[in-house]
Amino acid sequence: MDYINYMKKELVPAFGCTEPIALAYASAVAREILGMEPEKILVNVSGNIIKNANSVTVPGTDGRKGLEISIVAGAFLGDASKKLEVLSDVDKSKLDECDEKIENEIIEIKLKPDVSNLYIDIKLLAKDQSSRVVLQGAHTNIILKEKNDEVIYEKTLESQDDCEVDFSFEKIYEFAKKCDYSEVKDILDLEISYNTEIAKDGIENDWGSNIGKIILKNYSDNYNEKLVAYAAAGSDARMSGSEKPVVINSGSGNQGITVSVPIILYAKDKGVSEDELYRALVFANLIGLYLKQGIGKLSAYCGVVSAASASVCGIGYLNNENIDVLKETLSNSLAVNSGIICDGAKPSCAMKIASSLRNAFLAYEQAKTNNSFNPGDGIVKETLDKTIETVGHIARYGMKTTDEVILNEMLKK
């Protein structure tokens, strides 16, 4: 798969945190197959789905949180045709009915062990009818549909398409410099519009822990902190139920916000041309996708570390830094903040964005002043691509037990 088509696949609008929305989407598809209101909903999901949907506010639900409301709202109010925007424009007058169904134990949720990190299996029952949907590997990747226990659609779980993309830092850099981005211009325009609007929402209104507003108020004399504040504010709003869509990166709205918002604001403030902005967004989005290729969409590794590193690299790209400075910026950044844990989607994600962006800006200053870390300093390797591969190994394999422990601790009462 080439870079343009990969961006088309990965940079898509989503309404709400993508894990609860994936639950709502699978549930809405199952309801569509069933053809009537369900009387019982049976759900089996991976630990990472529980972790990421447990504490986040679900948009369109007037502040409700968790897996149950995501699934029930999807089944009774969702529009499956909208995919990751399945809960946009729901009939909120029926939310109390959803609460009643949950209280009446319409839904049963179980943790399914030994499956991929992104796994959802939903079965709806009504009278003598049933439907089932299995989603795996990506937030809209349905691999099985059943009606009355008969398979009506099935596909083998594709090896992740990111494995088919020939990523390297230098190839992405050259591609961003020379590519015809016309085929992704529309989605980049949405990224600029949507992600900026939700950042403004976080600054202007009361969302979550208001991390972005706190930063902007207390560090207004530092320009970089403005960029940090707006990115964090976008997460403040998104994690706490803002009904504004976001263009995601690597399956995540927080990563989409973090990759793009600092670059967009910087370009506007510095009078950067439209062409340069588009190319910087192509560059940073692809770097973000490259970094997550080895990690996987869901893991114990906080994805905003990758997204922040890519974003500040994008700012360096806008400043016409030479490729070695950009490489060292990324390497310096990954060498330090890699290992911040993901304990699900919730308001503290905004502070992790702030921490990761601040670290990335310091990494950029290191690179510009010839103070970068050397190969052999911890996980820093002789080439950037090998450092990225190392980070992927640590996140995917080294942090597997960490992921399990995090989930167990979150489930303790």
Side-chain angles (χ1 to χ4, degrees):
M1 183 178 289
D2 62 45
Y3 288 164
I4 290 292
N5 284 322
Y6 194 55
M7 283 190 287
K8 287 180 181 179
K9 173 179 173 286
E10 291 287 339
L11 305 184
V12 294
F15 179 78
C17 178
T18 45
E19 280 70 54
I21 292 302
L23 287 165
Y25 171 61
S27 187
V29 173
R31 160 64 193 276
E32 201 170 61
I33 296 168
L34 187 66
M36 64 182 77
E37 290 195 350
E39 297 168 355
K40 190 71 177 175
I41 304 175
L42 307 177
V43 183
N44 289 279
V45 292
S46 59
N48 271 267
I49 291 294
I50 294 175
K51 185 178 75 173
N52 275 26
N54 185 61
S55 304
V56 67
T57 301
V58 183
T61 66
D62 285 347
R64 292 164 174 82
K65 295 182 179 181
L67 286 80
E68 289 87 353
I69 189 62
S70 302
I71 295 161
V72 173
F76 289 92
L77 308 177
D79 181 349
S81 69
K82 294 182 179 180
K83 293 193 174 181
L84 292 182
E85 296 178 279
V86 59
L87 295 184
S88 60
D89 302 318
V90 300
D91 183 353
K92 294 183 180 180
S93 68
K94 295 183 178 179
L95 288 170
D96 288 343
E97 295 177 23
C98 291
D99 292 337
E100 289 177 13
K101 293 179 189 301
I102 293 169
E103 289 170 9
N104 291 332
E105 299 183 343
I106 190 176
I107 187 167
E108 180 181 302
I109 300 174
K110 293 182 179 179
L111 169 64
K112 188 172 181 66
D114 303 320
V115 292
S116 67
N117 285 350
L118 204 168
Y119 180 91
I120 297 168
D121 182 341
I122 292 181
K123 187 170 188 176
L124 307 186
L125 304 170
K127 300 179 181 177
D128 60 346
Q129 303 289 305
S130 69
S131 65
R132 182 182 175 214
V133 167
V134 177
L135 183 154
Q136 186 171 353
H139 292 83
T140 58
N141 188 41
I142 292 173
I143 63 168
L144 179 70
K145 296 179 185 178
E146 291 180 353
K147 177 71 181 286
N148 298 328
D149 297 321
E150 292 186 7
V151 174
I152 59 174
Y153 171 82
E154 187 173 19
K155 69 175 180 178
T156 58
L157 180 62
E158 300 165 349
S159 60
Q160 289 301 302
D161 284 343
D162 38 346
C163 296
E164 300 171 15
V165 181
D166 185 15
F167 277 130
S168 78
F169 187 91
E170 291 193 3
K171 287 178 181 177
I172 292 171
Y173 177 83
E174 290 301 321
F175 179 80
K177 287 286 185 185
K178 299 174 182 177
C179 73
D180 176 3
Y181 52 75
S182 59
E183 288 188 55
V184 291
K185 183 177 179 298
D186 287 348
I187 191 63
L188 294 176
D189 285 334
L190 280 183
E191 183 175 49
I192 292 166
S193 172
Y194 286 178
N195 296 7
T196 300
E197 284 303 309
I198 201 167
K200 289 180 180 177
D201 191 13
I203 290 293
E204 294 169 0
N205 297 295
D206 186 15
W207 289 113
S209 295
N210 292 306
I211 300 301
K213 291 170 76 170
I214 291 171
I215 293 169
L216 197 62
K217 178 181 177 181
N218 289 280
Y219 303 97
S220 58
D221 57 339
N222 183 319
Y223 177 73
N224 286 352
E225 289 293 298
K226 172 188 173 181
L227 306 183
V228 172
Y230 272 84
S235 179
D236 285 324
R238 184 172 174 81
M239 294 294 94
S240 297
S242 172
E243 297 189 7
K244 292 185 180 295
V246 165
V247 171
I248 65 176
N249 183 292
S250 303
S252 162
N254 277 338
Q255 289 174 62
I257 291 166
T258 306
V259 163
S260 62
V261 167
I263 294 171
I264 295 163
L265 293 182
Y266 188 89
K268 179 182 178 183
D269 290 343
K270 304 300 181 182
V272 169
S273 73
E274 191 175 71
D275 176 70
E276 289 174 297
L277 172 57
Y278 287 136
R279 293 187 183 281
L281 288 174
V282 167
F283 175 72
N285 276 301
L286 285 172
I287 292 296
L289 292 167
Y290 175 26
L291 293 173
K292 284 305 292 290
Q293 174 184 239
I295 295 169
K297 283 186 167 64
L298 299 180
S299 74
Y301 183 102
C302 179
V304 300
V305 174
S306 303
S309 303
S311 183
V312 174
C313 258
I315 289 173
Y317 181 96
L318 281 178
N319 288 333
N320 293 313
E321 302 288 0
N322 69 58
I323 192 170
D324 289 334
V325 168
L326 299 180
K327 285 181 177 180
E328 289 174 22
T329 296
L330 200 56
S331 179
N332 295 337
S333 182
L334 294 173
V336 177
N337 266 25
S338 288
I340 291 180
I341 64 165
C342 172
D343 52 342
K346 68 276 175 249
S348 66
C349 294
M351 191 175 286
K352 294 181 184 184
I353 289 171
S355 172
S356 297
L357 282 169
R358 285 168 170 163
N359 174 65
F361 277 119
L362 180 56
Y364 181 29
E365 292 302 318
Q366 270 185 279
K368 289 193 292 183
T369 55
N370 297 313
N371 286 300
S372 292
F373 301 125
N374 295 313
D377 290 346
I379 62 172
V380 178
K381 300 296 184 181
E382 61 270 23
T383 70
L384 173 60
D385 292 310
K386 287 186 177 179
T387 300
I388 291 171
E389 181 181 15
T390 297
V391 170
H393 287 164
I394 292 168
R396 187 182 289 269
Y397 307 113
M399 297 180 76
K400 190 175 188 302
T401 301
T402 303
D403 209 23
E404 295 166 0
V405 173
I406 291 167
L407 177 63
N408 289 333
E409 291 298 322
M410 288 177 65
L411 293 177
K412 286 181 181 178
K413 300 297 184 185

